[in-house]
Structure formats: C-alpha cells, structure tokens
Amino acid sequence: MTLQSLDTPAVGSPPARALVARAGQGARSVAARYGVLASFLILWQVGSTVGWLNPTVFPPLDLILAALWDGLVSGALIDDIAISLQRSGLAFAAAVGLGIPLGLFMGQIRAVERALDPILQFFRQTSALALYPVFILLLGLGEASKVFVIFWATLFPILLATIGGVKEVDRKLIEMARTYGAARRTVFLRVVLPASVPSIFVGLRLSATTALLLLIAAEMIGANRGLGFQVMNAQYNFQIPLMFAAIFLLALLGLAANFTLVTLQRRLCRWADAS
Amino acid sequence: MRVVDTARRGEVTIRDLSKSFTLNGRRLDVLRGIDLDIRGGEAIAIVGPSGCGKTTLLRVLAGLEEPDRGDVLIDGAPVHGIGNQRAVIFQEPRLLPWLTVAQNVAFGLEVRGTPAARAADRARHYIRLVGLAGFEEAYPRQLSGGMAQRVGIARALTVQPEILLLDEPLGALDAMTKLTMQEELARIWREEGVTMILVTHDLEEAIFLADRVLVMSKDSASPTRLIELDLPRPRDRSTPAFVALRRRLMAEFGLH
C-alpha cells in the first residue's frame, strides 16, 4: 500500500544558511529560465547603441519603450488595443460558443460526424486568409468581415479538438456508468464532458494563437485602427520604434491569452496534473 | 455469520442461455444452452480457458449483452438489461480520474438518484470497509493498482447490490497484492452477504473464494461442469484438501 506522489518531505524551520541556499537556488532557476531572453534583450540594446545593428531598423530598446509609453499615455495605442481585443475577442467567443457545443454533439453521434467530417476537413484545409477576399465581397470592408475571418480560422481547431475529445473518451468508463443505470444525459454530463475538457483546452489554446495571427493579417488589409494596422502604418511612416511597440504589444497579448487559458485549464483539470 | 434470508434475495437462475457472435463472417457459439442455479449469498467462480465465454456470460448477467436465447432470472423474475440488484467490478478499476476517491465511490449512488449528502455518508462507510480511510480526497492517479481496485470494489458495494459480478477483478494486480485482495474479498463477501459471481482464470483464486466452481470449456463437445468446494472457511491454501482440489481442477484443464 503506497500512496505515490502525495507524500511531501517534512520541513522543519530552516536555519539561515539553508534559507540563503534556497534563495540562491531560486535565483539560479530564474536565471536558467529567463537568462537567454535577458541576454537577447541586452544584446539588442547594446548592439543597437554601439552600432552592430542598424539602429534605423532595430532601434534601441529604450526608444521602443519610450514610443510605447507615449502611445499608451496619449491613448492612441490604448484605442488600438481596445479595437483589436474587440475583434479577436468577439470572433473567439463566437467560435467557442459554436465550436464546443457542435463538437460535443458531433462527437457523440457517429452518423453526423461521418457525414460532416469530409466537408470540415475541406474547410479546414482552405486557408482563412485565402477566403478573406470572399468574406470582404460578402460582408464589406468593415468590422464584419474582419471578425468573420478570425472566427472562421478559430472555429476549426476548437471544433475538431472537441470532436476528438468526445470520441476518445474511454468506452470502459461509459460502460461503467451504464452499469449503475446512468441515462444518456448523465453519462454525457458526468463522464463524456469532463473527460473531453483537456482536449477542448488544446483546441482553445491553438485557436487563441490563430485568432491573434488572423487579427494582424486582417488589420493589415483595409483597417485604420488596431494593433495590426499600427504595425503597418508605423512602418509606412518610418516610425520604427512605434512599429516595434505595437509588435511588442501583440506578443504581450498572445502571452496573456495563453496564460489565461493555462491558468483556467489548471483549475479545471487539477486531476490531470502531472505533479 | 450470515443470516439466512427467507425471501429469495440475490438468487440467480440461468435457463438455456445461448449467445453467438459473428467474427469475420463465421458464427461463433460462445454460450451454448447454459443452465445454472445460484443460491442467494453464494459465491460462485466461473473458470475456463480464454475464449470459452466466461466473460460473455458475466456480461449477459450484468445486462450489458442480450442473450440470443434463454433467460436470466433474479429472485424468480426474468431480467433484461441493467438493473439495481447487480453491480459489476471490472478487471480495471474504471475510476473517473477527475473525481476524488470519495466522489468515485459515491458515483454509483448519485447516478441512481441518492441525495449527495447521503451518498457521501454511505461512501465513507465503504471506503473504511475496503481499508482506504484517510485517502478520501486522493485522486485516482495517486493510487497504486491495488488501492484503485479497492476503490472500484467500494463503489460497487456502496449501491448495496444483491449480486456482485466480478470480471477478473484481481487479474491485473501483482502476486502479493492479489493474495491480500483475495482475503479482503472473502471478508467483504462474508460481511455483506451478497451473491458473488466471479470470473477468473486463477484456479487457486476460485478455490479460495467460491462455494462452487463452474468450469467452462472452449470445445463444444464437452459440457460445462460444476464442482462443489467442500472446504471450511476461512480457507487455507496449504491444507491437503485445498491442494487436492487444486489438483483436481487443474486436471479438468488437462494440466498434470
């Protein structure tokens, strides 16, 4: 009878030396994790000021940060962030709202899944960007076509991951629930749905990345606001620090979206944690 | 010590039960006219080579498969499909990984509509019975194989079935854990007074636990045989009577 991985070593009050050792260990682990990123940023800064890099293409980081600060304080970049978040958020929410329920349904009913799978595969393989002109023709050059192209691209990862999750639920667990007399609805709510959550999250994280990718592409074509537009616009006007500021914000947006989803997944799937 | 019930509780009657499968276009008669009377509270073991249909028989009894012909009667009434009198313990524990031990054990009762608080109470009792007190909040991935199987056993007992159907429940455990679990099963069966129908490929396990052993064969020419195990309980694997029975059962399979 062993209980694996529950036992934690007993910790008494640590003497000062152990505390220092632990702090040193902590610093080392931070260095191991972020050291390369820090060196990259330092190299950029130094390289740009000393002249190893062309400062017109790669301005020093302090200039980029100053441009970022100005943009945020004046509110110009805040506007861009708001509209970009609105576009990608709306599209993502719509994809989640349609993709998860539809996926749960399709994954359960084999005939529906079999009938719809070929067309789904076909749509999925058609690049959303290639279809963007079609959406513009149909929906105009306004917000609708931008939101729709992002929605289109984000729907499929969510839908397919959800279908996959439902299909891969252990039949033996379903059979177990049935031997206790569980009705279809109970089996779905208590076995199929929780078992699909990890797979659904894989789809959500993939979709979140895709949403930002498509956002930038959509904003680079026929938009006059948004972070993607700002990247292009700053480049046209040769405001290179501002361009990098917008790129930096986009990266931050992606990190934030991923962080949110990972945190949510950790909370919902504590049972599946490796440690 | 078991109270002899005047009502026929947990009594299973199998009448002329047949089932066949079609495999690669060939008809496979898995069960051929099986007749069997199981007394309430009896422990019966079903043994036989793989492919003899012992698991199919158990699945028909559980209501997971419909027979082609014949009837299963429980306490005199024919049954079809899944019913509240029966609970199944599978070879794998089949625990829901997102539920704690306590929630897993309460699962069966909750599915059957018992209020959560009462289900939790009952679950606690059976967790103690299978010797897992203190592990209520653990998740299945934190348990060893033997512990996980105990949780599965507790879950089945919580619904207080008349009939416990066990499909090679200890088959996946290591030899040491298996011995402990066999003693646990013997104790639980004695304390709960349920009818126990156990499919196993372990002859010693069958002799250790059962009142009678049903020997099934793959060969359609030789019929199923029923062997009475007249051994005092608790059983001791090293007594001459036990050893003799094991030898006899092995001879049934052409071993030695």
Side-chain angles (χ1 to χ4, degrees):
Chain A
M1 288 300 100
T2 52
L3 186 72
Q4 291 140 12
S5 81
L6 256 196
D7 46 340
T8 44
V11 179
S13 61
R17 199 188 299 162
L19 216 66
V20 171
R22 183 114 41 96
Q25 214 169 39
R28 233 172 299 146
S29 94
V30 169
R33 182 141 172 74
Y34 297 107
V36 176
L37 177 64
S39 330
F40 168 74
L41 293 176
I42 291 168
L43 215 66
W44 181 332
Q45 173 69 18
V46 172
S48 180
T49 23
V50 174
W52 300 333
L53 292 166
N54 183 349
T56 45
V57 182
F58 294 104
L61 290 179
D62 58 299
L63 280 183
I64 296 172
L65 284 176
L68 181 64
W69 179 251
D70 285 345
L72 291 176
V73 168
S74 71
L77 278 176
I78 301 275
D79 261 7
D80 289 320
I81 294 170
I83 190 76
S84 287
L85 273 179
Q86 185 191 319
R87 283 167 185 151
S88 49
L90 256 170
F92 187 67
V96 170
L98 181 70
I100 293 179
L102 188 64
L104 290 173
F105 174 70
M106 283 178 64
Q108 294 225 82
I109 298 168
R110 219 181 131 64
V112 178
E113 202 258 334
R114 276 177 62 91
L116 287 183
D117 188 59
I119 191 163
L120 275 183
Q121 295 296 343
F122 180 69
F123 279 162
R124 187 176 73 125
Q125 296 302 335
T126 316
S127 160
L129 276 180
L131 289 173
Y132 190 32
V134 182
F135 299 148
I136 291 175
L137 279 177
L138 285 172
L139 300 167
L141 205 53
E143 289 303 301
S145 61
K146 288 183 190 57
V147 173
F148 195 82
V149 74
I150 302 170
F151 162 76
W152 183 265
T154 48
L155 176 66
F156 293 103
I158 295 177
L159 186 60
L160 291 167
T162 308
I163 293 172
V166 173
K167 274 172 67 182
E168 269 158 41
V169 176
D170 191 349
R171 298 277 121 199
K172 291 180 168 176
L173 291 182
I174 295 175
E175 191 178 78
M176 180 280 295
R178 274 186 51 219
T179 63
Y180 288 102
R184 243 193 120 86
R185 204 181 98 88
T186 314
V187 170
F188 174 74
L189 287 176
R190 300 222 44 188
V191 182
V192 175
L193 195 58
S196 319
V197 168
S199 172
I200 291 174
F201 265 100
V202 171
L204 287 178
R205 287 171 65 182
L206 211 68
S207 274
T209 314
T210 313
L212 285 172
L213 211 76
L214 265 287
L215 169 78
I216 298 151
E219 285 181 342
M220 284 179 170
I221 304 167
N224 51 19
R225 277 187 308 159
L227 286 174
F229 160 76
Q230 205 52 256
V231 173
M232 290 305 277
N233 194 48
Q235 190 241 326
Y236 286 144
N237 298 328
F238 226 71
Q239 296 168 294
I240 304 304
L242 181 64
M243 180 186 87
F244 274 110
I247 291 174
F248 177 69
L249 281 175
L250 280 167
L252 220 58
L253 222 59
L255 284 174
N258 199 49
F259 176 77
T260 311
L261 284 171
V262 168
T263 309
L264 194 64
Q265 181 177 19
R266 285 239 176 89
R267 295 205 58 170
L268 282 173
C269 307
R270 210 168 292 156
W271 53 272
D273 270 0
S275 57
Chain B
M1 234 193 17
R2 251 176 314 125
V3 182
V4 179
D5 221 334
T6 39
R8 302 195 297 177
R9 215 171 166 275
E11 198 182 279
V12 182
T13 311
I14 299 166
R15 284 278 161 270
D16 193 26
L17 201 71
S18 296
K19 171 125 189 119
S20 61
F21 291 108
T22 313
L23 195 72
N24 301 332
R26 268 189 55 211
R27 211 175 91 117
L28 227 76
D29 292 318
V30 184
L31 302 176
R32 294 170 304 268
I34 292 188
D35 286 296
L36 184 63
D37 290 293
I38 302 170
R39 299 183 289 268
E42 185 184 10
I44 193 160
I46 304 171
V47 299
S50 37
C52 71
K54 53 188 194 295
T55 290
T56 306
L57 177 58
L58 198 83
R59 289 177 65 84
V60 171
L61 291 176
L64 291 168
E65 311 261 3
E66 275 296 308
D68 298 341
R69 192 157 48 81
D71 290 301
V72 175
L73 293 88
I74 291 179
D75 300 331
V79 289
H80 293 280
I82 287 146
N84 279 355
Q85 331 85 346
R86 289 156 284 165
V88 189
I89 295 169
F90 300 96
Q91 181 173 10
E92 327 78 26
R94 302 202 185 179
L95 305 181
L96 299 173
W98 50 89
L99 297 184
T100 61
V101 166
Q103 290 166 333
N104 262 298
V105 174
F107 178 79
L109 272 183
E110 280 174 21
V111 161
R112 290 187 180 180
T114 310
R118 259 194 53 208
D121 257 3
R122 203 106 74 97
R124 237 189 321 276
H125 170 77
Y126 282 100
I127 290 170
R128 221 173 310 125
L129 183 81
V130 298
L132 284 180
F135 294 110
E136 286 86 352
E137 298 313 311
Y139 283 99
R141 67 177 161 80
Q142 299 171 309
L143 303 176
S144 67
M147 290 171 89
Q149 193 55 289
R150 280 165 196 261
V151 178
I153 293 169
R155 178 177 58 197
L157 292 174
T158 311
V159 299
Q160 295 185 316
E162 296 170 25
I163 300 151
L164 209 50
L165 302 163
L166 303 101
D167 186 8
E168 302 190 19
L170 312 180
L173 301 180
D174 62 86
M176 288 301 288
T177 314
K178 200 168 172 173
L179 290 179
T180 336
M181 292 293 287
Q182 284 169 358
E183 292 186 2
E184 290 276 292
L185 272 180
R187 176 179 64 85
I188 287 165
W189 170 71
R190 200 174 56 237
E191 285 175 16
E192 296 292 308
V194 290
T195 307
M196 186 161 86
I197 303 175
L198 166 79
V199 161
T200 180
H201 53 235
D202 183 336
L203 300 180
E204 193 174 290
E205 182 172 294
I207 303 169
F208 188 75
L209 290 171
D211 295 323
R212 287 189 292 166
V213 177
L214 180 75
V215 182
M216 294 177 72
S217 77
K218 220 172 156 176
D219 177 13
S220 52
S222 55
T224 58
R225 283 174 308 271
L226 207 51
I227 295 172
E228 197 83 33
L229 301 180
D230 239 347
L231 289 177
R233 288 178 189 268
R235 288 178 178 167
D236 183 340
R237 295 164 214 274
S238 51
T239 57
F242 194 103
V243 175
L245 264 170
R246 189 174 56 196
R247 192 168 299 138
R248 187 179 149 203
L249 211 52
M250 282 170 97
E252 291 278 340
F253 291 99
L255 300 160
H256 300 293

